Amino acid sequence: MTDQSTATAFVPGHVTGFFSAHRTGNPATTGSRGGGLTLSDGVRVRVVPSETTHVALGGERVEMEPVEHVLDAFDATARVTIESELPVGSGFGVSGAAALGAAYASNTVFDGERSENDLVELAHVAEVVAGTGLGDVVAQAHGGVPIRVEPGAPGHGVLDGVPTSSRVEYVTFGELSTAEVIEGDTTRLSRAGERALGELRERPTLRHLLRLSRRFAREAGLLVPEVETAIDAVSDAGGEAAMAMLGRSVFALDTGLSDAGYDPQVCETYPSGAHLER
Amino acid sequence: MTDQSTATAFVPGHVTGFFSAHRTGNPATTGSRGGGLTLSDGVRVRVVPSETTHVALGGERVEMEPVEHVLDAFDATARVTIESELPVGSGFGVSGAAALGAAYASNTVFDGERSENDLVELAHVAEVVAGTGLGDVVAQAHGGVPIRVEPGAPGHGVLDGVPTSSRVEYVTFGELSTAEVIEGDTTRLSRAGERALGELRERPTLRHLLRLSRRFAREAGLLVPEVETAIDAVSDAGGEAAMAMLGRSVFALDTGLSDAGYDPQVCETYPSGAHLER
């Protein structure tokens, strides 16, 4: 509808357990393959047309390049208010969610004539160009426990999913730069990610995804000490945990982190992809 | 998880506004193109392994060929309990929902090693073989306001969506046989459906979908008198309504049917596709 003066979108969080990076000359076909979980803890993005662009996250003015790319595509300026239940820069896909939510909400307030796939492509390209992520946007548009079978935006990328639903716990120990990892040498990481993907597709269950993700983190050389300690503690307590790529964060199934003595945030897998709120 | 002795899936209802039928020699590539809405009113399917198969809908034992196809694929027998918030045989996709819900729940209790796309394909094929539908299953796996761009199961079919969220009202005046229409001559219907799809993709908004659906019902020669009267009454009251394909049912946006003096069921578009419940 073109007559709305404000719109709000909700985008689930997304933790990647393992991935491989695929770069082409075109941001729409650039992306990642891999597996992860979308989370009921997510990001709410409100867009209100305004004379100048103003982006705020948790009440503080911020620069978010992917969000600005999205507004540029609508040739528009707006007040964008982002509320995140998740920590930023810690592997939960907050930047992808901000871009995707801004795309959905902007479409409503500015012209309302793009399809969902158009909006997902727009946000994916914005995120790839900004160097803040490769696969969160398409996963967050899908929801559930997405398997990124082929990289890239709709029309190029292919998604599948693990049919499941679970309580999820998570803790975070601080930030890790996505850009630094994905813009560096990803050969070793991608080899480990491809192997995990092949095995997950053979047996697409949630526990298997967690096990493959733990192996990936070791093989890719991405484990940091606090994360390793927490994952080991969950395993010792009989649970399943893995590292959120790319962040100093750990996610676990059911009561994995609580059982290991941590005081985690609690949410669950989210059945839906990004959507507008009424 | 293979250790569960019961599992329940929720599948949203789905009304098709317009469609074209596409038959090949292969049920996985057979399907429909078109546009519709998934609904928060839906179908809950519970599967419990059992010595013999017993399928009940709303407490009454029923024969549901698509559900039996699904169990056969798992080489299993089970007690399948289907609770529907929607009327059966009235254009809300209850048979597709039963098949898809049975696939998700059976995967959990019987082996847990199929992916979401595998389960959607299984239910789609079951529905096509039974002649009960061509496009509900893929739409119900997607959620939202799905546009079926290309027909068939995942890997063949292509989906997009209208980025929107709306209150939906509906009334039903009785059953209409899906099999009779889709197994008859669909040339005229499909020509009208293809034209509507092209126009929706040019301008993918919810109001446009409703307008194209009204035109389709007339052009396809599918309107029945009670439905036509209700749609006209909603239009006269300034609202947007269309016929649910294939049923003697009308759905309207916002308060369209209430404003026209009907006493409708009230729900909303559903952001998520089919999913397991915890």
Side-chain angles (χ1 to χ4, degrees):
Chain A
M1 324 289 134
T2 50
D3 56 350
Q4 280 187 241
S5 60
T6 173
T8 303
F10 175 78
V11 185
H14 178 246
V15 285
T16 286
F18 63 83
F19 71 103
S20 55
H22 302 268
R23 301 200 157 274
T24 69
N26 174 359
T29 58
T30 292
S32 59
R33 304 170 79 197
L37 282 67
T38 65
L39 305 177
S40 57
D41 279 3
V43 176
R44 214 159 245 110
V45 183
R46 186 157 63 95
V47 172
V48 182
S50 167
E51 297 260 309
T52 57
T53 288
H54 181 284
V55 182
L57 172 65
E60 303 266 308
R61 186 160 186 169
V62 290
E63 299 256 315
M64 281 192 115
E65 197 184 325
V67 172
E68 281 157 33
H69 275 295
V70 166
L71 289 175
D72 288 348
F74 286 95
D75 201 15
T77 50
R79 182 166 285 267
V80 181
T81 310
I82 304 165
E83 297 295 340
S84 176
E85 296 168 299
L86 297 158
V88 178
S90 305
F92 294 96
V94 173
S95 66
L100 187 54
Y104 270 71
S106 295
N107 184 63
T108 304
V109 297
F110 293 122
D111 67 17
E113 302 200 350
R114 293 182 192 227
S115 74
E116 283 187 351
N117 289 355
D118 293 340
L119 297 172
V120 176
E121 173 169 349
L122 172 58
H124 174 80
V125 166
E127 169 108 313
V128 168
V129 169
T132 49
L134 289 171
D136 284 325
V137 168
V138 296
Q140 289 167 320
H142 184 271
V145 179
I147 306 174
R148 283 163 282 142
V149 175
E150 296 297 344
H156 311 289
V158 174
L159 286 157
D160 197 349
V162 177
T164 189
S165 174
S166 177
R167 171 182 162 122
V168 177
E169 296 187 342
Y170 62 90
V171 290
T172 188
F173 305 106
E175 303 192 11
L176 201 69
S177 166
T178 297
E180 230 165 75
V181 175
I182 68 179
E183 287 170 1
D185 180 0
T186 52
T187 314
R188 178 178 163 195
L189 173 165
S190 288
R191 198 181 309 122
E194 291 287 336
R195 189 153 80 92
L197 180 63
E199 292 182 42
L200 180 63
R201 295 192 70 200
E202 288 290 310
R203 191 148 60 84
T205 72
L206 191 52
R207 281 172 202 284
H208 196 205
L209 191 161
L210 273 275
R211 269 175 247 139
L212 293 169
S213 298
R214 285 198 294 277
R215 191 185 70 194
F216 169 82
R218 278 197 311 275
E219 289 181 356
L222 291 167
L223 270 181
V224 292
E226 317 91 291
V227 166
E228 188 168 19
T229 302
I231 290 174
D232 288 348
V234 173
S235 293
D236 289 348
E240 300 280 355
M243 176 175 169
M245 302 292 163
L246 291 157
R248 294 178 187 274
S249 305
V250 176
F251 62 98
L253 303 185
D254 304 320
T255 53
L257 281 158
S258 303
D259 293 348
Y262 286 84
D263 181 24
Q265 298 296 309
V266 178
C267 63
E268 48 194 305
T269 55
Y270 193 65
S272 167
H275 56 88
L276 287 160
E277 297 193 326
R278 285 216 291 138
Chain B
M1 325 289 134
T2 49
D3 56 350
Q4 280 188 240
S5 61
T6 174
T8 302
F10 175 78
V11 185
H14 178 244
V15 285
T16 285
F18 63 82
F19 71 105
S20 55
H22 302 268
R23 303 201 154 274
T24 70
N26 174 358
T29 57
T30 292
S32 58
R33 306 169 79 197
L37 282 67
T38 64
L39 304 177
S40 57
D41 279 3
V43 175
R44 215 158 244 108
V45 183
R46 186 158 62 94
V47 172
V48 183
S50 166
E51 297 260 309
T52 57
T53 289
H54 181 282
V55 181
L57 172 66
E60 303 266 310
R61 186 161 185 168
V62 290
E63 299 256 317
M64 280 192 116
E65 198 184 323
V67 171
E68 281 157 34
H69 275 296
V70 166
L71 289 174
D72 288 348
F74 285 96
D75 201 14
T77 50
R79 183 167 284 267
V80 181
T81 309
I82 304 164
E83 298 294 340
S84 175
E85 296 167 299
L86 296 157
V88 178
S90 305
F92 294 96
V94 173
S95 66
L100 187 55
Y104 270 72
S106 296
N107 184 62
T108 304
V109 297
F110 293 122
D111 68 16
E113 303 201 350
R114 293 183 191 226
S115 75
E116 283 186 350
N117 289 355
D118 294 340
L119 297 172
V120 176
E121 173 169 350
L122 172 58
H124 174 79
V125 166
E127 169 109 312
V128 168
V129 169
T132 48
L134 290 172
D136 285 325
V137 168
V138 298
Q140 289 167 320
H142 184 271
V145 179
I147 306 173
R148 284 164 281 140
V149 174
E150 296 297 343
H156 311 289
V158 174
L159 286 158
D160 198 348
V162 177
T164 188
S165 175
S166 177
R167 170 181 162 124
V168 177
E169 297 186 342
Y170 61 91
V171 289
T172 187
F173 306 105
E175 302 193 11
L176 200 71
S177 167
T178 297
E180 230 167 76
V181 175
I182 68 179
E183 286 171 4
D185 180 0
T186 52
T187 315
R188 178 178 163 195
L189 174 165
S190 288
R191 198 180 310 122
E194 292 288 336
R195 189 154 79 93
L197 180 63
E199 292 181 42
L200 181 63
R201 295 190 70 199
E202 288 290 310
R203 190 148 61 84
T205 72
L206 191 52
R207 280 173 203 283
H208 196 207
L209 193 162
L210 272 275
R211 267 175 248 140
L212 293 168
S213 299
R214 283 200 295 278
R215 190 185 71 193
F216 169 81
R218 277 197 312 275
E219 289 181 355
L222 291 167
L223 270 182
V224 292
E226 316 91 290
V227 165
E228 189 168 18
T229 302
I231 291 174
D232 288 348
V234 173
S235 293
D236 289 349
E240 299 280 354
M243 176 175 169
M245 302 292 162
L246 291 159
R248 293 179 188 274
S249 305
V250 175
F251 61 98
L253 303 185
D254 304 320
T255 53
L257 281 157
S258 304
D259 292 348
Y262 286 83
D263 181 24
Q265 299 296 310
V266 177
C267 62
E268 48 194 304
T269 54
Y270 193 65
S272 167
H275 55 88
L276 288 160
E277 297 193 327
R278 286 216 292 142

